[in-house]
Amino acid sequence: MIKFFESAIQNLNGWGIMVFILILGSVELFFGLLEGKWSKNDKILDIVCLVVPRFIFSALIGFFSLKVLPFILPGLKDAFAWIPFTLGFFIILVTIDLSQYWYHRLHHQIPVLWRFHRTHHSARYMSVVVNSRQNIFYVAFLSQFYITAALVYLGLGGPALLFNGFQTVWSYACHTSVKWDKVLYRYKVLHPVAWILERLLVTPATHHAHHAASHGDGVGYYKGNFGGILFVWDLIFGTAHISRKFPKQYGISNYEDDPWYAQWLWPIFKSPVIGSELAKDGPEVKEEENELEVIQELQNAYIK
């Protein structure tokens, strides 16, 4: 068994990550953290988003690496191979994570892009599988895939693979309903550790706030906390919110339970739900309800 887990860690960029997901997912199910929230439609969407892209985009990135990069960057293969491993890892961390911050942020701030990212926020729960819950076109243009492939081509393969493994694990760990960072807030002796960690890296508390159904109640903050791995980008660009608390409700206040195929493949397939942002001739972004009213409704529902 020990050898199995050692092998899983060594293969985080392959089948090892699936072991990690299965372990966290099993904990969520065992403790009933998704009870009553994970509908059939959600299950299909989450599983399709978790499994199918791994086959599709492996081939796409392979083509990009073997055919496109040699064409657009001729003679530059292994040009950065002289860079030390640690420096290479730092370059990759900053380059990829900063690009992801802006990619994510723009999908919240530009109406037409929001509909591609909306799928990720439609879940009324947090879970390890929510990390992969994305419209296929949002995934297809993720900058990290192409930047990583380019850096590997340029000779930073080792650092790139290490970062990719770390990024994948951390991202899943921040989406899970297992609120493992709570221990840092519970014990005063650990508060200095929490203060540093939550300003350096994204944590479950800060990312759960981003998935909240409310904004402006002191906990939910879906208009910020855009960081993928590093939370420092939110601090630098003024989109940070730290409360050390977890939202009572997750998802989108105007979500209409669009079928899984419309959420995954919009705009190829439209939602049959009239008035949905994913429906034919639907609005790019629905007018937000008065946030104070939303907050009050959520609080009343929680009290009941």
Side-chain angles (χ1 to χ4, degrees):
M1 183 61 73
I2 294 177
K3 289 184 177 180
F4 172 78
F5 285 111
E6 288 178 348
S7 180
I9 292 173
Q10 293 171 358
N11 289 276
L12 275 179
N13 289 296
W15 62 269
I17 190 59
M18 296 305 294
V19 172
F20 180 75
I21 293 170
L22 285 172
I23 292 173
L24 267 183
S26 298
V27 172
E28 292 176 344
L29 294 174
F30 180 79
F31 287 99
L33 300 179
L34 300 180
E35 189 174 354
K37 300 177 182 178
W38 206 23
S39 68
K40 181 180 178 181
N41 188 57
D42 284 320
K43 290 176 184 175
I44 296 174
L45 176 61
D46 288 342
I47 293 172
V48 167
C49 289
L50 176 65
V51 177
V52 178
R54 296 181 180 277
F55 296 98
I56 297 176
F57 294 112
S58 293
L60 176 63
I61 299 305
F63 176 80
F64 180 75
S65 300
L66 298 175
K67 299 296 183 180
V68 177
L69 285 174
F71 177 76
I72 62 177
L73 299 175
L76 292 180
K77 183 172 175 57
D78 296 328
F80 294 162
W82 58 270
I83 295 178
F85 188 95
T86 303
L87 178 58
F89 182 86
F90 178 77
I91 291 173
I92 292 169
L93 172 64
V94 172
T95 304
I96 294 179
D97 206 58
L98 180 57
S99 73
Q100 280 304 104
Y101 169 87
W102 282 105
Y103 185 80
H104 184 193
R105 180 172 175 174
L106 290 174
H107 277 75
H108 276 266
Q109 297 180 336
I110 298 177
V112 68
L113 294 182
W114 162 247
R115 290 194 284 185
F116 290 104
H117 186 51
R118 180 180 184 271
T119 301
H120 187 61
H121 284 267
S122 65
R124 296 187 177 97
Y125 50 87
M126 289 301 285
S127 168
V128 64
V129 291
V130 171
N131 183 55
S132 302
R133 181 183 173 121
Q134 297 280 12
N135 176 285
I136 197 167
F137 295 104
Y138 180 91
V139 179
F141 293 100
L142 274 172
S143 55
Q144 70 182 74
F145 292 152
Y146 305 100
I147 294 175
T148 300
L151 292 171
V152 170
Y153 175 79
L154 292 171
L156 295 176
L161 291 175
L162 176 62
F163 172 76
N164 188 63
F166 168 69
Q167 179 190 46
T168 302
V169 169
W170 196 264
S171 186
Y172 278 107
C174 288
H175 281 85
T176 180
S177 54
V178 180
K179 300 164 184 173
W180 51 265
D181 57 333
K182 269 191 170 184
V183 66
L184 300 176
Y185 315 136
R186 185 176 296 126
Y187 301 105
K188 192 171 182 179
V189 68
L190 296 177
H191 285 184
V193 177
W195 193 94
I196 295 173
L197 180 66
E198 65 194 0
R199 283 163 177 76
L200 178 62
L201 298 172
V202 175
T203 63
T206 53
H207 197 66
H208 279 223
H210 176 70
H211 279 263
S214 60
H215 182 92
D217 60 355
V219 180
Y221 201 69
Y222 58 72
K223 294 182 180 179
N225 290 15
F226 299 118
I229 299 299
L230 295 176
F231 195 70
V232 292
W233 305 128
D234 285 290
L235 293 172
I236 291 171
F237 297 114
T239 54
H241 175 68
I242 300 174
S243 71
R244 298 187 177 181
K245 298 178 181 179
F246 291 84
K248 298 296 188 296
Q249 300 287 335
Y250 298 96
I252 305 171
S253 60
N254 56 21
Y255 176 51
E256 304 89 353
D257 288 304
D258 301 290
W260 68 269
Y261 58 84
Q263 296 197 63
W264 188 49
L265 293 170
W266 185 90
I268 295 177
F269 292 104
K270 306 291 196 303
S271 173
V273 179
I274 297 176
S276 167
E277 294 166 340
L278 303 184
K280 184 179 180 181
D281 300 322
E284 285 187 343
V285 177
K286 276 198 167 185
E287 290 295 323
E288 291 186 11
E289 299 178 50
N290 182 285
E291 290 183 351
L292 292 177
E293 292 179 1
V294 173
I295 292 169
Q296 186 61 53
E297 290 177 7
L298 293 173
Q299 289 175 340
N300 292 338
Y302 179 66
I303 292 173
K304 293 177 181 179

